[in-house]
C-alpha cells in the first residue's frame, strides 16, 4: 500500500513540475510577444512622427530627421533581406552594423533637441558622413543577399528545367508492354529465325 502511495505521489510531483514548466514557458512566450508588438507599435509611431517632423522643420533639424529615417529604412530593409537568405557571417556583420546605426540614431536624436543651432550645423557634416557609410554598408549587404537568393533560385530552376526536359523526353519514347502470350510468340519467332546451333 505504501508503494502505491509513493508512486501516486511521484506522479503528482512530476505532473506538478511539468505543469509549472509549461506555465512559465507560456508566460514568457506571451510576454515576449507583447514586448515585440509593443516595440513594433512604438517604432511605427516614432517613424510617422519623424516623417511629419521632416516636413515641419526644414534646415538642419530636417536634415537630421532625414538621416534617421534613411538609417532606419536601410537597416530594416537589410534585416528583411537577410531573413530570406541563410548567411550567418553576413548576419553577424549586420548585427554589428546595426549597433553602429543605433548609436548614431541616438546621437542624431539628441542633436535634434539641441538648442544651439550653430552646434547642430557644425556636427551635421560628420554625422551625415557616418550615416552614409552605415547605409552604404547595409545596402551592400542587402544587395549581395538579394543577388545570392536570386542566383540560388535561378540555378535551382535551371536544374529543375533540365530534369523535367529529360523526363518529358523519356515519357514520349515509350514502348507498349507485351503480355505473356506476346512474349512467347516473339520468342518462338526468334527461335524459328535463328535456330540454336548444334553443339
Amino acid at each position: 500500500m505504501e508503494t502505491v502511495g509513493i508512486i501516486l505521489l511521484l506522479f503528482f510531483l512530476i505532473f506538478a513540475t511539468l505543469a509549472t514548466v509549461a506555465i512559465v514557458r507560456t508566460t514568457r512566450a506571451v510576454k515576449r510577444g507583447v514586448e515585440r508588438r509593443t516595440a513594433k507599435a512604438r517604432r511605427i509611431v516614432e517613424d510617422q512622427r519623424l516623417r511629419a517632423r521632416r516636413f515641419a522643420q526644414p534646415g538642419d533639424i530636417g536634415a537630421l530627421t532625414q538621416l534617421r529615417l534613411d538609417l532606419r529604412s536601410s537597416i530594416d530593409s537589410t534585416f528583411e533581406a537577410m531573413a530570406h537568405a541563410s548567411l550567418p557571417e553576413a548576419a553577424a556583420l549586420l548585427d554589428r552594423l546595426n549597433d553602429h546605426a543605433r548609436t548614431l540614431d541616438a546621437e542624431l536624436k539628441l542633436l535634434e533637441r539641441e538648442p544651439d543651432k550653430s552646434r547642430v550645423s557644425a556636427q551635421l557634416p560628420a554625422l551625415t558622413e557616418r550615416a552614409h557609410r552605415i547605409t552604404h554598408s547595409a545596402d551592400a549587404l542587402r544587395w549581395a543577399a538579394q543577388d545570392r537568393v536570386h542566383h540560388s533560385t535561378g540555378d535551382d530552376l535551371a536544374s529543375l528545367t533540365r530534369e523535367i526536359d529529360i523526363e518529358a523526353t523519356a515519357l514520349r519514347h515509350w514502348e507498349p508492354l507485351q503480355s505473356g502470350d506476346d512474349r512467347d510468340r516473339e520468342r518462338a519467332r526468334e527461335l524459328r529465325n535463328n535456330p540454336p546451333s548444334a553443339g
Side-chain angles (χ1 to χ4, degrees), residues 85-133:
S86 179
L87 304 168
E89 294 87 4
L93 290 173
L94 180 58
D95 285 337
R96 289 174 54 197
L97 187 64
N98 188 39
D99 291 340
H100 285 280
R102 284 182 178 176
T103 301
L104 180 56
D105 185 66
E107 290 178 43
L108 293 169
K109 187 175 184 177
L110 281 174
L111 205 56
E112 283 177 339
R113 297 185 180 97
E114 175 62 46
D116 184 356
K117 301 303 177 196
S118 63
R119 181 168 174 76
V120 174
S121 297
Q123 291 192 7
L124 186 58
L127 293 171
T128 301
E129 194 269 333
R130 273 175 62 199
H132 287 173
R133 285 172 53 196

Side-chain angles (χ1 to χ4, degrees), residues 14-65:
I14 291 170
F15 177 76
T17 303
L18 291 175
T20 304
V21 169
I23 289 170
V24 168
R25 285 186 177 178
T26 303
T27 304
R28 287 180 182 168
V30 168
K31 184 179 176 185
R32 280 194 305 268
V34 169
E35 287 172 354
R36 273 196 303 268
R37 284 192 292 276
T38 303
K40 189 174 182 179
R42 193 177 301 130
R43 175 68 184 267
I44 290 169
V45 168
E46 189 173 1
D47 284 352
Q48 293 304 321
R49 187 180 54 78
L50 285 173
R51 286 188 182 90
R53 181 187 291 175
R54 178 184 58 187
F55 295 113
Q57 294 182 315
D60 290 342
I61 299 300
L64 289 174
T65 303

Side-chain angles (χ1 to χ4, degrees), residues 69-91:
L69 286 169
D70 292 346
L71 267 176
R72 289 169 174 231
S73 174
S74 182
I75 293 289
D76 290 348
S77 298
T78 305
F79 269 114
E80 192 174 319
M82 289 299 211
H84 300 293
S86 179
L87 304 168
E89 294 87 4

